[in-house]
Amino acid sequence: MPRWLRRGSSIEIKTRGELEAMREAGLVVARTLALVTEAAKPGVTTIELDELAEQTIREAGAVPSFLGYHGFPASICASVNEQIVHGIPSAARTLADGDLLSVDCGAILNGWHGDSAVTIAVGDVTDADRKLSAATEAAMWAGVDAVRPGARLTDISFAVESAALRAGEADGLEYGMVVEYGGHGIGREMHMDPFLPNVGKPGKGPVLEAGMALAVEPMLTGGSGETVELEDGWTVVTADGSRSSHWEHTVAVTEDGPWVLTAPEST
């Protein structure tokens, strides 16, 4: 049995040194997303953001995780408005005032992956869109807080779903939860076991142990949670045309609680 597997589990266990290496990859992703967020203004194309991301990642000595991954043609996913995830950057997609842009970014540094996503308000967005993004981010942080030794995998799912429901009640809205897509294990590969659902009852799935690393990534919509994949084979949109938001962090399980590997350096 490989040293990094536990009997009955397929979740990779990392040493402290390996988690620290993942943290370095996570910092590259955090810096890249910060620069992309700053640059995402009306009049900017999504391909320009992609070029900025690739340059930032490579200047750090890292490699974009997404570029060429199963044929994906870009270094970031840039999903605008009704696009939920896997949006392909394009010179033909110019950001406009009021757009809601979700950017997913990954980097490989010394063989280790970091993966994170943010939703960016482009110019002056509606109050409903701001609340949608805030609800999604709150759901992510609730999931992050559940990444603790002794918890079970679906404790994270339950925390994400519960936070989304609470946000909807507070906002007087019913947010759609995208259930086909969710979080995942991460390490020397970007997508590893286990799949981490964003909904579910607590107390199910593998027990979390120190050294595991997971990407927690809820996606909410302003309407139905039903999705449609476009003919490009990548872009996933809301079936009803409602706006969508996506937030993600890579998180390590430690004896001291969750360690957010893709958080900005000052966090």
Side-chain angles (χ1 to χ4, degrees):
M1 178 184 297
R3 65 168 181 80
W4 42 265
L5 290 184
R6 296 289 187 265
R7 192 175 302 278
S9 171
S10 59
I11 306 178
E12 188 179 71
I13 306 293
K14 286 87 167 170
T15 66
R16 179 69 185 192
E18 289 169 338
L19 290 178
E20 288 171 353
M22 287 188 67
R23 172 59 172 156
E24 292 304 310
L27 284 171
V28 174
V29 173
R31 288 193 291 269
T32 302
L33 285 174
L35 289 173
V36 168
T37 297
E38 185 179 355
K41 308 291 184 185
V44 174
T45 64
T46 54
I47 197 65
E48 289 177 297
L49 298 179
D50 183 71
E51 291 167 351
L52 171 62
E54 181 174 1
Q55 178 183 355
T56 303
I57 291 168
R58 293 195 185 279
E59 285 179 350
V63 177
S65 301
F66 297 173
L67 186 60
Y69 184 73
H70 295 292
F72 190 75
S75 296
I76 59 172
C77 298
S79 306
V80 186
N81 296 335
E82 77 284 355
Q83 296 175 350
I84 301 169
V85 69
H86 303 160
I88 301 173
S90 169
R93 188 66 189 244
T94 301
L95 297 175
D97 187 63
D99 279 345
L100 200 61
L101 169 67
S102 295
V103 176
D104 196 352
C105 178
I108 312 166
L109 184 64
N110 298 322
W112 295 98
H113 286 258
D115 187 10
S116 183
V118 297
T119 294
I120 304 164
V122 180
D124 186 19
V125 304
T126 66
D127 187 54
D129 283 349
R130 289 188 186 279
K131 288 180 177 179
L132 171 62
S133 180
T136 313
E137 185 179 11
M140 177 194 68
W141 284 116
V144 167
D145 191 57
V147 181
R148 297 178 180 274
R152 287 193 175 271
L153 185 71
T154 64
D155 293 345
I156 305 172
S157 310
F158 182 71
V160 168
E161 182 180 14
S162 298
L165 290 172
R166 287 195 301 272
E169 290 173 359
D171 295 340
L173 299 168
E174 186 173 347
Y175 295 120
M177 178 68 79
V178 177
V179 299
E180 294 98 331
Y181 303 89
H184 50 88
I186 184 170
R188 287 199 177 274
E189 298 176 32
M190 182 165 56
H191 293 119
M192 304 178 72
D193 287 337
F195 173 71
L196 173 56
N198 283 318
V199 298
K201 296 180 179 179
K204 299 183 181 298
V207 175
L208 303 184
E209 301 179 43
M212 294 178 175
L214 299 165
V216 179
E217 56 175 321
M219 303 166 202
L220 299 182
T221 79
S224 166
E226 294 183 12
T227 69
V228 175
E229 185 178 274
L230 299 186
E231 291 183 359
D232 62 19
W234 285 103
T235 309
V236 178
V237 302
T238 56
D240 60 4
S242 60
R243 295 283 180 104
S244 179
S245 173
H246 176 199
W247 284 85
E248 175 186 16
H249 266 313
T250 297
V251 189
V253 184
T254 80
E255 294 295 347
D256 298 322
W259 182 14
V260 183
L261 302 176
T262 46
E265 200 158 15
S266 59
T267 300

